Amino acid sequence: MMKSFKPNMPFNVAMHYLEPTEVNELGTTKKTWTKPSKNNLFFCSFKTFGGTEKIVNDSYLIEDTAIIETWYNDKITNECRVKDENGNLYEIISTPENINMRNQFMQFKIRRLRGGA
């Protein structure tokens, strides 16, 4: 008998998923994302575990990554972005997993997007 999945934490973090749209400008395809609204609001658990350690060009850095667990929503794909209530923007870096294929819960990993040179 398969044990059913139970989330480790309550879904008490409000976030918005931003769906991509592609626009053709001057012969090139440009991706844009929807704006946060009540229609794309979802609640989840947000676990960072201190980020992900990386070595790039012989420099040690920590990437802002997190694991999201939430109710299943087939509109959330790895092409979407996620925005929290503080304005932080994240990209989905793993394909969202439909846990036990039951269309009840999903889990995915995100990485914070930052500007700068």
Side-chain angles (χ1 to χ4, degrees):
M1 183 173 173
M2 183 190 293
K3 252 184 157 175
S4 69
F5 174 81
K6 291 191 179 166
N8 296 326
M9 298 172 61
F11 298 156
N12 59 2
V13 178
M15 297 194 115
H16 295 271
Y17 65 90
L18 312 176
E19 296 178 285
T21 56
E22 291 185 354
V23 177
N24 193 347
E25 288 184 6
L26 302 172
T28 61
T29 303
K30 183 180 178 183
K31 228 180 227 189
T32 60
W33 284 266
T34 55
K35 303 263 187 247
S37 71
K38 287 184 179 182
N39 295 334
N40 57 15
L41 176 71
F42 70 100
F43 289 88
C44 63
S45 65
F46 183 86
K47 298 180 273 187
T48 63
F49 305 108
T52 302
E53 298 174 356
K54 284 176 75 173
I55 296 181
V56 176
N57 296 333
D58 294 327
S59 296
Y60 175 80
L61 46 107
I62 297 177
E63 244 181 358
D64 289 339
T65 58
I67 303 271
I68 299 276
E69 286 180 357
T70 188
W71 297 106
Y72 179 78
N73 183 342
D74 62 351
K75 291 184 179 183
I76 300 175
T77 68
N78 59 340
E79 296 290 320
C80 294
R81 289 187 174 174
V82 177
K83 192 169 197 172
D84 66 18
E85 295 292 305
N86 296 324
N88 296 316
L89 188 62
Y90 299 87
E91 67 178 334
I92 298 175
I93 57 175
S94 68
T95 302
E97 179 184 357
N98 179 2
I99 298 173
N100 293 335
M101 301 301 285
R102 296 185 64 200
N103 296 348
Q104 184 178 14
F105 299 109
M106 68 188 312
Q107 180 179 27
F108 52 92
K109 190 170 188 176
I110 59 174
R111 174 177 46 221
R112 185 171 173 196
L113 295 172
R114 292 185 180 198

